[in-house]
Amino acid sequence: MRDNDQVSHWNAPVADTPVHAVVPVPGSKSLTNRALVLAALADSPARVSGTLRSRDTDLMIGALRALGTRIEGPAGPLGPDDTDLLVTPGPLHGADIECGLAGTVMRFVPPLAALATGTSTFDGDAAARVRPQATVLDALRSLGADVTGDRLPFSVSGTGSLRGGRVEMDASASSQFVSGLLLSAARFDDGVDLVHVGASAVPSGPHIEMTLAMLRDAGVVVEQPTASSWRVAPGPISAVDRVVEPDLSNATPFLAAAAVTGGSVRVPRWPVSTTQPGDAIRGILEEMGASVTLETADGADHGTLVVVGPDHLSPLVADLSAIGELTPTIAALCALADGPSTLTGIAHLRGHETDRLAALAAELCAVGCEVTERADGLEIVPGPLHGAPWRAYADHRMATAGAIIGLGVPGIEVDDIDSTAKTMPGFTSMWTAMLAGGTT
């Protein structure tokens, strides 16, 4: 578990001139952790290349290895910086699983533990113990699993198989509840017929589309009879050698730097077509006045994304229900815009690493904005901004939001910049290199 006393205060650097930089971005956390789960359940070994190595992905690697999966680097034993991994499935057995603050570990691994022989115990950071978890645990119970507890810490006792079948759940709080069941469902005796019964739609739809696409790549028969139901047929999961795309959500603070400073940032290997919700930042930045271009060669499946910032950022009115994870970046941009902005569709952010709506409202008010916290979003009125401590709440995206504000406001001190290691180790060195005008 993470010791919340071991934190690193960081004075966010001000951009005295427009930023001009090339910023290569490591692999996607969402794609990495889904690929690792599918590889652990596959019918033969598979290679996963270009993976992100961060706290969240290392926790997933640790969980899968504890359950019986062999994961190696290019030279054999796994090194801390290896990004090209060989995953060899093995018989699953009970284990102690450390979740940290990783929602994907909390929600994706319990179904694997239900397929294991023996008891698996799950625990994590103090902040993880208040994150919503009962939805997926109750669903596993209804599918035949033996589960004790409703939040971290909890345990799952397996006999080597799981009945599966029809299950109803309210996944209004997180799309990870849906993805977590779907990823393992082909290994259930009867597959799964999953129906969302919540009054609100499942948020972050692109993440479910990502899961469905990766399942189909692995030969799994997946149907979506309605917008709120999914059916996975029982059967093998084929081993697939995958190359992980760059993490587009992790790219957004750097692209925001171009928009905030009136500079330009280039991100190579940006995919032409993707299921990653971070791709939506292109439209958001254009709405706020930036120029956004994807430079590609004819027939290429990726190119270089180029963002050139405007003289002034325009305010934004947007429903972010499909792209909630981008909210801290977007809120920081709105705080530096030249008029009031309204962000809606993000009530589910209250159950993320922290209550992100309350956290953003508190920190933006502390630096001089007027912020109204609505039931499903934020109204942000920029004001004369000033330096102040910026609390990260052990939340990587809150920390990077503080870095964005600091580009234009002297005296922003982020209290826990090390929280960025959750998905982006080396963030501060990348940020410093970007401000110096080179390739990070």
Side-chain angles (χ1 to χ4, degrees):
M1 285 178 279
R2 184 171 187 269
D3 183 350
N4 289 323
D5 292 331
Q6 300 296 316
V7 297
S8 176
H9 290 253
W10 181 68
N11 293 316
V14 176
D16 296 319
T17 59
V19 168
H20 295 285
V22 178
V23 183
V25 178
S28 162
K29 179 203 78 171
S30 296
L31 289 170
T32 294
N33 278 354
R34 283 165 171 79
L36 290 171
V37 169
L38 289 173
L41 293 169
D43 54 9
S44 60
R47 294 193 178 276
V48 185
S49 303
T51 60
L52 174 69
R53 295 301 301 276
S54 69
R55 186 174 190 235
D56 273 18
T57 57
D58 283 352
L59 286 165
M60 180 63 80
I61 289 169
L64 297 176
R65 294 175 82 179
L67 287 168
T69 302
R70 189 163 77 245
I71 302 179
E72 302 168 293
L78 183 65
D81 299 320
D82 288 337
T83 59
D84 294 342
L85 309 180
L86 175 63
V87 183
T88 302
L92 298 175
H93 52 73
D96 293 332
I97 305 300
E98 170 58 46
C99 299
L101 194 51
T104 49
V105 179
M106 293 168 57
R107 282 87 179 249
F108 292 3
V109 178
L112 276 79
L115 291 166
T117 301
T119 298
S120 296
T121 59
F122 291 74
D123 203 356
D125 293 357
R129 293 181 175 182
V130 299
R131 296 189 70 178
Q133 181 69 24
T135 301
V136 72
L137 299 181
D138 286 342
L140 286 173
R141 289 186 183 99
S142 71
L143 294 172
D146 179 4
V147 180
T148 301
D150 293 315
R151 292 180 185 264
L152 290 172
F154 62 85
S155 65
V156 180
S157 297
T159 59
S161 65
L162 188 67
R163 181 185 72 246
R166 179 180 170 84
V167 61
E168 296 183 350
M169 68 159 60
D170 180 356
S172 303
S174 176
S175 66
Q176 289 178 350
F177 298 136
V178 174
S179 289
L181 280 186
L182 296 183
L183 285 167
S184 295
R187 292 283 304 273
F188 301 167
D189 294 344
D190 298 328
V192 79
D193 188 355
L194 172 60
V195 180
H196 165 61
V197 294
S200 303
V202 180
S204 303
H207 278 120
I208 297 178
E209 293 302 319
M210 178 188 293
T211 299
L212 298 178
M214 295 179 74
L215 285 167
R216 292 181 179 121
D217 287 344
V220 176
V221 177
V222 184
E223 299 175 357
Q224 187 171 4
T226 70
S228 57
S229 64
W230 302 266
R231 185 175 297 131
V232 177
I237 297 174
S238 299
V240 177
D241 292 339
R242 302 180 188 270
V243 178
V244 176
E245 297 172 358
D247 195 312
L248 307 188
S249 294
N250 276 348
T252 62
F254 300 94
L255 299 175
V260 166
T261 66
S264 62
V265 166
R266 304 170 65 88
V267 177
R269 296 188 59 237
W270 196 279
V272 171
S273 177
T274 182
T275 55
Q276 289 191 65
D279 190 50
I281 194 64
R282 295 197 281 168
I284 295 292
L285 290 172
E286 286 181 326
E287 284 191 55
M288 300 190 77
S291 167
V292 182
T293 306
L294 182 58
E295 298 178 346
T296 58
D298 289 343
D301 60 2
H302 63 268
T304 297
L305 188 71
V306 183
V307 172
V308 179
D311 293 333
H312 300 282
L313 283 172
S314 300
L316 181 69
V317 177
D319 179 345
L320 304 183
S321 55
I323 54 171
E325 68 184 45
L326 304 187
T327 299
T329 292
I330 295 169
L333 287 167
C334 292
L336 297 165
D338 60 6
S341 296
T342 302
L343 308 178
T344 59
I346 44 178
H348 61 287
L349 297 191
R350 298 187 187 283
H352 278 220
E353 283 82 343
T354 186
D355 180 340
R356 283 183 175 162
L357 297 189
L360 285 166
E363 300 316 299
L364 291 176
C365 284
V367 299
C369 292
E370 292 183 16
V371 182
T372 301
E373 188 179 343
R374 296 166 40 151
D376 73 334
L378 300 170
E379 296 176 0
I380 301 170
V381 181
L385 301 186
H386 54 79
W390 180 277
R391 292 174 293 174
Y393 303 84
D395 183 340
H396 57 135
R397 302 209 191 278
M398 283 298 299
T400 56
I404 295 168
I405 296 290
L407 291 171
V409 182
I412 300 296
E413 182 179 305
V414 181
D415 72 350
D416 182 11
I417 198 63
D418 287 351
S419 61
T420 55
K422 184 177 192 293
T423 58
M424 195 162 31
F427 169 77
T428 55
S429 60
M430 292 174 67
W431 200 252
T432 299
M434 175 191 69
L435 291 173
T439 300
T440 68

